[in-house]
Amino acid sequence: MSYKILIYALLISLALATAACVAQSSASGNGGLPALPKDNLPQGFAFLAEKNSSTAGVNITDEIKDFYGQQEIGPVDAVVGIYTWAPLGQGYDSKITYLALQDNEHAQAAAANYRSLPEYQNPPYRGVDRFSNAIINGHDVTQIMDVTGDGSPRYLYLWDTGNLVVLVEGNESLGQSRDLASATGL
C-alpha cells in the first residue's frame, strides 16, 4: 500500500510541476504575440518595461484606446514595450505596441482607426505631409509624423501583417526611429 501512495505522490508532484511550467510559459508568451525586442536595440535605445493585460495596475484597453474607433476591431490581445532613448527624466519614451486580432480584416480596421485619429487630420506643420510611405523589414508601412509638446517632430510607424498590428513610436530622429521599427523583425 505504501508503494501506491508513493507512486500517486510522485504523479501528483509531476503533474503540478508540469502545470506550473505551462502557466509560466504562457504568462511570459503574451498569448501568441511576438516577443518585444529587448536586446540588440538600435544605438541610443534601451528596453525599460513591458505592459500587457497581466501587468499589475495597467488597463491594457486604455493603453491601446487609439485603435478603437469607427471600425469594429473585435477582441484584442496586446503588449506595449517602453523604451528610453534619452537619460531618464529627459525626453519622452518610445514604444512598440503589438496587437493580435482575430483576423486580417480586424487588424486592418484597427490600423485604419489609428490613422483616423482627430489629431492626425491636419498636417503637423504647414506644407508637411502627416502620412508618408516607408518600407520596414520588407513591409510597406505608414510613416506618421507626430509633434511633441515642445514642437519637435516624432516619427511613428504603423503596419499590419496577418492578424497583427504593429505601432512603433520612435523619437525625433528619422533614422533611429526606423531602426527601432526594424528591430521588431516584423
Side-chain angles (χ1 to χ4, degrees):
M1 185 88 142
S2 64
Y3 285 113
K4 281 186 177 181
I5 294 173
L6 181 61
I7 290 173
Y8 286 132
L10 286 172
L11 289 175
I12 291 171
S13 297
L14 181 61
L16 289 174
T18 303
C21 288
V22 168
Q24 184 178 23
S25 108
S26 66
S28 63
N30 291 322
L33 288 165
L36 290 165
K38 296 178 182 175
D39 300 317
N40 302 317
L41 294 170
Q43 184 175 3
F45 287 98
F47 179 75
L48 185 62
E50 178 177 322
K51 297 179 183 180
N52 59 39
S53 60
S54 63
T55 304
V58 171
N59 180 342
I60 200 68
T61 303
D62 287 343
E63 297 290 325
I64 62 168
K65 68 183 180 305
D66 290 339
F67 292 94
Y68 294 94
Q70 190 172 20
Q71 297 185 44
E72 176 60 38
I73 65 171
V76 180
D77 191 13
V79 62
V80 178
I82 311 295
Y83 301 83
T84 60
W85 57 272
L88 287 176
Q90 300 175 9
Y92 47 84
D93 293 331
S94 293
K95 297 179 182 179
I96 295 176
T97 303
Y98 296 149
L99 279 73
L101 298 107
Q102 60 193 33
D103 55 33
N104 183 252
E105 291 172 14
H106 287 92
Q108 290 175 349
N113 287 341
Y114 190 88
R115 282 189 300 272
S116 66
L117 289 170
E119 59 264 32
Y120 292 159
Q121 299 314 302
N122 296 314
Y125 307 107
R126 185 180 307 186
V128 175
D129 290 333
R130 169 81 64 191
F131 300 103
S132 59
N133 296 321
I135 296 182
I136 302 292
N137 299 330
H139 293 282
D140 291 323
V141 306
T142 302
Q143 177 179 289
I144 305 169
M145 182 184 278
D146 197 10
V147 179
T148 64
D150 69 359
S152 60
R154 178 179 179 189
Y155 297 95
L156 288 70
Y157 294 91
L158 176 69
W159 70 97
D160 61 89
T161 177
N163 71 325
L164 188 69
V165 175
V166 180
L167 174 66
V168 177
E169 300 173 62
N171 61 16
E172 59 196 22
S173 166
L174 178 63
Q176 284 184 326
S177 298
R178 281 190 182 185
D179 289 346
L180 183 61
S182 293
T184 65
L186 301 171

